[in-house]
Amino acid sequence: MAELLPKPRPGRRAFLGGVALGSVAAFTGSHGARGASRTEIAFASAKFFGKETVAQVVEMYNASQSRVHVTYVELPPPSASTEVHQLLVQQLARQSGSPDVFTQDVIWIAEFAGAGWALPLDQEFGADVRKQYFPGVVQACTWGGKLTALPWFIDSGMLYYRTDLLGNEAVPETWDELVSLAQAAEKSGHARFGFLWQGKQAEVLVCDLVEFVGSNNGAILGPDGKTVMIDDDKSVQAVQFMRDTINRYKISPQDVLSWDEEPSRRPFTGGQAMFLRNWSYVYTIAQDPKVSSVVGKVGVAPLPHFPGGRSAACLGGYQYGVNASTKNREAAIDFVRWMSSPATQLHFATELGLAPTRPDVFDDPKLAQSQPFMQKLKPVFLGATPRPVTPKYAQVTLVLQSSVSRALADGNVKQALAGAKDRIAAIVAS
Ligand code: GLC
């Protein structure tokens, strides 16, 4: 099998940047064969945090059968979405067939399909299989009428809160209520931080933006996918509120402007914060006594909204893709079928806190036991708001990341968003 795979090229270490050296071997297919009859394939995926690692799950697959051996290439965590994207684009654009299988953030599906890098999977996963998944996820995995990704997990933004600090108060449903409760918790000395979110100039800032703007009935793009709405009053008010959490209400530290998921999660599970906006993976960590000082004191709820608005959660999640240039199509399909199977999805949900994309697994009593909040928040997952769906998303997000970051730092919100509008309009029109 090894001779079918491309030879390493000089200089590739340089563009693989921070990826571990073991990864280079896997990308180039230079790993040794594990038994003559096994087809060797490489699987590249972002790294996830939980009680187990993706590598362990891959080993479960390797141990479950004797036809295929998968080498896992660990990419940076999903909070480094922009970097993970860049690594995959460089690799897929070479059309060398490696990695054979990869995982893709939901925001890359259109781009990878549009470029012809993701193998259409309709033949292998027909209508009878597709109906075993949530229809919205299947839709997100479909581009140009073809299924180009196989569902893995669904993510959505949510509000974590300290049940012990909330006492008899109701969980906040509006941002005003959250501000009052957060200020009271800080004032009483029970929490060092009222509310933590992610303002780093990175993909997660766009996720938080979708939620603040969406909860004020605003949007980045209109329903036609072309009209840019990011400088409408509703969006300007929402971004102003993001800044106000730091400068005016003083419920969020200045540090949130350089924090992504993990730096914002740590003070919360360390017992220093009242509220946290984050993804579903945090719950498992919050309940783990080895790393959390708030075990049994954490509730999860839909994010608050502005007056007259509705709670909005950003749609996230990763899905499997098969490299259109793979030389090991059958093995790759066998592997993604196993990875997306009910049993593996349940395992990812209970051990890594990644929400299933299959309704049957979502409703499984074993999931209710380990992740009770997931079933409670099922409408949040299923009603999550997508980021703009376009093959040019990689350009759109960079504009949003830099403009919103500038607005949060200097306070010229209207000006920054008007600039973003013009640049995004030019990108989506071309
Ligand atoms: C989460 C989401 C993903 C998002 C990323 C941003 O991993 O699942 O969709 O892009 O966070 O940091």
Side-chain angles (χ1 to χ4, degrees):
M1 203 38 60
E3 68 276 8
L4 292 178
L5 291 156
K7 295 270 180 298
R9 281 189 188 171
R12 53 186 310 145
R13 269 160 213 236
F15 70 66
L16 285 173
V19 179
L21 283 184
S23 314
V24 177
F27 261 146
T28 56
S30 58
H31 44 77
R34 318 267 163 142
S37 59
R38 283 198 161 198
T39 305
E40 289 281 336
I41 62 171
F43 167 53
S45 175
K47 153 189 193 166
F48 287 82
F49 305 94
K51 285 190 260 174
E52 265 191 26
T53 60
V54 176
Q56 286 172 295
V57 181
V58 170
E59 281 318 310
M60 281 167 59
Y61 171 75
N62 284 335
S64 74
Q65 44 71 52
S66 53
R67 304 172 305 276
V68 181
H69 179 267
V70 179
T71 298
Y72 171 50
V73 182
E74 187 175 83
L75 301 179
S79 55
S81 177
T82 306
E83 291 76 16
V84 179
H85 170 261
Q86 207 183 342
L87 284 164
L88 278 175
V89 166
Q90 283 165 342
Q91 207 55 36
L92 294 171
R94 297 179 65 229
Q95 297 181 312
S96 69
S98 186
D100 300 275
V101 177
F102 53 93
T103 59
Q104 43 194 332
D105 195 331
V106 65
I107 47 183
W108 311 330
I109 292 176
E111 177 192 2
F112 289 5
W117 297 333
L119 190 73
L121 302 168
D122 305 74
Q123 250 181 308
E124 287 83 3
F125 302 96
D128 53 325
V129 177
R130 297 202 288 271
K131 72 171 193 279
Q132 297 167 15
Y133 296 93
F134 291 122
V137 181
V138 172
Q139 199 190 331
C141 288
T142 306
W143 181 254
K146 295 206 164 77
L147 185 79
T148 61
L150 192 65
W152 177 10
F153 75 92
I154 183 170
D155 225 350
S156 68
M158 49 195 72
L159 182 73
Y160 287 85
Y161 61 92
R162 287 279 299 282
T163 48
D164 55 330
L165 300 187
L166 201 58
N168 294 328
E169 300 284 349
V171 177
E173 287 183 11
T174 64
W175 290 115
D176 284 347
E177 289 166 7
L178 177 134
V179 168
S180 311
L181 290 162
Q183 286 177 333
E186 283 183 351
K187 208 166 153 207
S188 67
H190 287 118
R192 178 164 168 220
F193 306 119
F195 175 46
L196 301 178
W197 50 281
Q198 300 83 27
K200 180 176 173 181
Q201 189 175 334
E203 184 58 36
V204 71
L205 175 58
V206 178
C207 301
D208 288 35
L209 174 76
V210 163
E211 292 161 357
F212 285 109
V213 168
S215 68
N216 201 24
N217 290 331
I220 295 172
L221 289 186
D224 61 1
K226 295 266 171 206
T227 314
V228 187
M229 296 170 64
I230 196 58
D231 78 333
D232 286 8
D233 288 350
K234 304 229 169 270
S235 309
V236 173
Q237 282 163 8
V239 175
Q240 183 63 48
F241 176 77
M242 292 163 83
R243 183 173 151 87
D244 287 347
T245 62
I246 304 166
N247 297 66
R248 182 169 169 202
Y249 304 123
K250 306 199 185 304
I251 55 172
S252 308
Q254 191 77 26
D255 285 343
V256 295
L257 297 182
S258 57
W259 283 353
D260 58 24
E261 286 89 337
E262 280 293 273
S264 66
R265 189 273 299 164
R266 281 186 214 108
F268 182 80
T269 52
Q272 294 183 294
M274 169 88 186
F275 295 110
L276 166 72
R277 176 269 166 217
N278 214 316
W279 308 101
S280 63
Y281 81 95
V282 168
Y283 189 82
T284 315
I285 300 175
Q287 298 304 336
D288 179 355
K290 288 200 286 297
V291 287
S292 167
S293 39
V294 291
V295 177
K297 296 178 182 166
V298 172
V300 196
L303 286 160
H305 56 80
F306 290 94
R310 287 189 327 164
S311 169
C314 177
L315 176 69
Y318 271 65
Q319 321 304 339
Y320 302 105
V322 174
N323 189 338
S325 308
T326 179
K327 299 177 180 76
N328 304 300
R329 182 181 172 131
E330 259 178 57
I333 298 284
D334 189 78
F335 176 56
V336 294
R337 182 176 283 122
W338 185 91
M339 289 292 269
S340 186
S341 68
T344 311
Q345 286 210 353
L346 183 63
H347 191 81
F348 272 119
T350 57
E351 306 309 301
L352 286 101
L354 303 176
T357 44
R358 293 172 169 272
D360 286 357
V361 183
F362 216 108
D363 298 333
D364 193 308
K366 287 191 220 76
L367 184 67
Q369 261 168 28
S370 74
Q371 311 281 4
F373 78 98
M374 273 187 193
Q375 287 174 355
K376 190 179 126 210
L377 293 192
K378 192 170 172 183
V380 172
F381 284 102
L382 298 190
T385 309
R387 283 159 276 175
V389 179
T390 155
K392 306 221 176 94
Y393 182 76
Q395 295 171 53
V396 173
T397 185
L398 290 181
V399 172
L400 289 169
Q401 289 175 32
S402 64
S403 313
V404 176
S405 202
R406 197 172 335 114
L408 294 174
D410 70 16
N412 293 325
V413 177
K414 177 75 191 175
Q415 194 189 332
L417 297 187
K421 176 186 174 157
D422 293 344
R423 287 161 69 199
I424 294 171
I427 294 168
V428 294
S430 64

